[in-house]
Amino acid sequence: MKVSRRSFLASTAAASVPFILPSRIWSAATAPSNRLTMGFIGMGKQNGGLLNNFLRHDTRVLAVCDVDKTRRENAVKIVNEFYQGQSGENAGGCTGYSDFRELIARKDIDAVCIATPDHWHAIITLAALRPARTSTAKSP
């Protein structure tokens, strides 16, 4: 029996719906192991908007980074005010960094959102993707 691409897609689409729906539909609370922990690098207008959007989803913002002290402190304030009064895993503060390398060195951050000037994107992205070195590793 020959199956067309259209009939295959139609039959698999119905079966995949449970996997596409957000977890909040299937349970009231998100398990901590399913919550993405994030850091934000470059806290200008672009990342400011992204930060506000991520705060309202199943993420936990642990750190922000910007060389501009005013932007950095403002972002930390926004995150801490958002989590203020929450208990459990959401309690506690957001840490601000002026050097992106300190942020990406944290073991508890799963993902970073990078919104820096264009000439920094590749440098920070490659540094974030690089596996963390252990204390026993030697430099090349």
Side-chain angles (χ1 to χ4, degrees):
M1 180 173 143
K2 188 173 181 180
V3 178
S4 70
R5 183 177 1 183
R6 184 175 300 221
S7 64
F8 173 77
L9 291 174
S11 64
T12 56
S16 65
V17 169
F19 302 108
I20 296 171
L21 296 174
S23 62
R24 65 181 171 274
I25 291 175
W26 300 108
S27 65
T30 302
S33 61
N34 291 335
R35 186 175 304 267
L36 186 67
T37 57
M38 293 190 68
F40 286 78
I41 301 172
M43 296 311 305
K45 290 180 183 179
Q46 182 69 37
N47 236 0
L50 292 168
L51 174 67
N52 286 319
N53 286 330
F54 275 106
L55 282 171
R56 287 163 179 70
H57 290 85
D58 290 335
T59 60
R60 174 72 172 118
V61 178
L62 299 178
V64 296
C65 176
D66 200 294
V67 295
D68 183 316
K69 183 179 179 183
T70 304
R71 287 181 175 184
R72 180 176 61 246
E73 289 177 351
N74 185 52
V76 168
K77 180 182 172 192
I78 289 169
V79 173
N80 288 338
E81 286 178 357
F82 181 83
Y83 291 130
Q84 187 177 17
Q86 295 184 12
S87 61
E89 70 187 65
N90 286 334
C94 173
T95 306
Y97 297 98
S98 60
D99 187 337
F100 73 90
R101 292 170 290 199
E102 293 178 68
L103 186 147
I104 63 175
R106 290 183 56 163
K107 303 283 187 212
D108 58 344
I109 293 180
D110 298 321
V112 292
C113 185
I114 303 167
T116 57
D118 291 340
H119 62 279
W120 279 101
H121 286 173
I123 295 166
I124 296 172
T125 301
L126 292 173
L129 293 172
R130 189 174 298 125
R133 294 181 182 223
T134 60
S135 59
T136 58
K138 294 182 180 179
S139 297

